[in-house]
Amino acid sequence: MFKTIVWATDGSETAGHALPFALELVARDSAKLVVVHVRELVVGRMGGYPVYADEPDLRERLAEQVGTLRETGIDVVLVERTCAAGHAAKLISEVAEEHDAGLIVLGTHGHTRIGSALIGTMTQALLHEGSVPVLAVPAAARVAAVV
């Protein structure tokens, strides 16, 4: 059904919970996996130099993870983008369209703001930004639910 699936990750444990769902769908459909990580720049109140919101070794860990997936025979590519804080969903949607993805898979806390108590802020933003279906995986979900 899907030729390409995007797994959007910020390197968090929550994002990691969604990977087995993406891999199950990749295996089922012999699809390509596009791992997307958007580095959000954060500027302090006093201006100054922008800093990355994530830890410095995250890019290295993602590259290693993609390498491990590739070694298991998965057709996978890592795409990294950088944007101002608050614009990650738009870039994830753009990457999905560039790769002709049929689905975006991401993990969700589901409780980051009052207005997004059910599905999470990034999921909500992706639903508004893009034209690709979104599979939001709560941390408590198990991969058997995909089948």
Side-chain angles (χ1 to χ4, degrees):
M1 181 174 173
F2 299 112
K3 292 181 182 178
T4 303
I5 295 170
V6 166
W7 171 50
T9 181
D10 60 2
S12 69
E13 186 177 335
T14 300
H17 286 297
L19 180 58
F21 286 84
L23 293 176
E24 179 72 23
L25 293 168
V26 163
R28 184 193 74 185
D29 296 343
S30 298
K32 177 179 182 176
L33 178 65
V34 178
V35 177
V36 179
H37 172 64
V38 176
R39 297 180 311 259
E40 292 187 277
L41 294 175
V42 178
V43 179
R45 289 188 287 167
M46 303 302 275
Y49 296 99
V51 295
Y52 290 116
D54 46 15
E55 65 272 6
D57 66 341
L58 176 58
R59 293 172 68 193
E60 184 177 318
R61 286 187 298 143
L62 288 174
E64 288 175 10
Q65 189 172 28
V66 166
T68 301
L69 291 171
R70 193 172 289 123
E71 288 172 6
T72 66
I74 295 172
D75 182 9
V76 59
V77 62
L78 174 61
V79 176
E80 294 179 306
R81 299 282 170 90
T82 303
C83 69
H87 299 283
K90 181 175 169 81
L91 286 182
I92 293 167
S93 292
E94 288 175 4
V95 170
E97 289 178 19
E98 289 167 12
H99 288 269
D100 198 25
L103 181 69
I104 298 171
V105 179
L106 75 157
T108 181
H109 289 287
H111 61 274
T112 54
R113 291 189 324 197
I114 292 172
S116 59
L118 297 177
I119 60 173
T121 55
M122 181 59 67
T123 306
Q124 192 173 52
L126 281 168
L127 290 171
H128 291 288
E129 282 292 337
S131 58
V132 176
V134 176
L135 173 60
V137 180
R142 300 184 192 276
V143 76
V146 172
V147 181

